[in-house]
Amino acid sequence: HVSEGIDLAARNEFVCTQTGDNDLVEPQTGLVHAVGLTAGDIYNIEPEYSKVVWSPRSNIALYGNTASVSLMERAGVPMALGTDWLPSGSANLLRELACAIELNETYFNTTFSDVQLWRMVTTNAAFVAGAQLSTGMLKSGLAGDLAVFRAGDLDAHSAVVRANPEDVVMVARGGQALYGDA
């Protein structure tokens, strides 16, 4: 958790972790939150290919603001979407996606497509965790956990990111169905 907050102390967390002998902002770094970063800080992330985990519901609940994700997207910073912790975050990724969609459409001029939001909770999440060689994609040789959603009139990616819990049709982990409609 770096730069979690909106004050100068939160920004200073990032400054102290990316300068001099304390430079921890490396290609394998995943910054959780990054709310207090300035535009200059964000552009200092991209050259080193560090990543950010965006937790909008928790950020809004605790600080009244969230990370500058539109600017991060323009700067090429890879992002995942996470729920943070239960007291201020979402109970599940579907609720976190709903929050992200509302912010995206209301405040971020639809910076992110539904495909991009879907990637934030699948492939991008695996890369942020450094687990891309074992999970995050449905691909031969990788762990293949799977969730199936009711699509209705939506395309495949929109059906996932805009789903409610009742739209989950099946969940399988390691090839074993854990939940599913008859």
Side-chain angles (χ1 to χ4, degrees):
H1 289 233
V2 176
S3 197
E4 182 179 356
I6 57 174
D7 59 9
L8 290 177
R11 178 174 182 264
N12 194 47
E13 288 177 357
F14 175 75
V15 171
C16 288
T17 59
Q18 63 97 38
T19 55
D21 293 339
N22 296 321
D23 188 359
L24 303 174
V25 181
E26 300 293 334
Q28 70 274 14
T29 304
L31 304 171
V32 179
H33 295 298
V35 179
L37 271 58
T38 65
D41 297 334
I42 290 167
Y43 280 95
N44 279 330
I45 294 173
E46 191 276 328
E48 301 198 50
Y49 299 105
S50 293
K51 303 144 194 85
V52 169
V53 179
W54 181 34
S55 301
R57 186 176 303 279
S58 181
N59 297 160
I60 297 297
L62 293 173
Y63 311 112
N65 202 353
T66 192
S68 298
V69 291
S70 293
L71 183 56
M72 290 178 188
E73 172 66 17
R74 282 194 298 277
V77 176
M79 286 179 281
L81 182 71
T83 61
D84 198 27
W85 65 326
L86 198 52
S88 63
S90 297
N92 58 55
L93 275 176
L94 293 179
R95 300 251 315 131
E96 198 71 24
L97 280 162
C99 180
I101 288 167
E102 182 177 346
L103 291 170
N104 186 41
E105 292 175 352
T106 305
Y107 299 105
F108 302 146
N109 197 31
T110 316
T111 295
F112 304 103
S113 67
D114 286 352
V115 172
Q116 288 172 297
L117 290 167
W118 174 81
R119 283 191 182 118
M120 284 184 190
V121 297
T122 57
T123 307
N124 291 10
F127 273 87
V128 169
Q132 69 274 13
L133 299 178
S134 60
T135 192
M137 296 163 272
L138 290 177
K139 188 172 169 183
S140 179
L142 301 186
D145 298 342
L146 182 68
V148 178
F149 296 84
R150 188 175 345 289
D153 295 332
L154 300 173
D155 67 44
H157 296 98
S158 296
V160 174
V161 301
R162 296 176 182 276
N164 292 307
E166 61 271 13
D167 297 321
V168 179
V169 177
M170 185 199 68
V171 175
R173 182 168 183 196
Q176 298 296 314
L178 301 177
Y179 168 84
D181 290 349

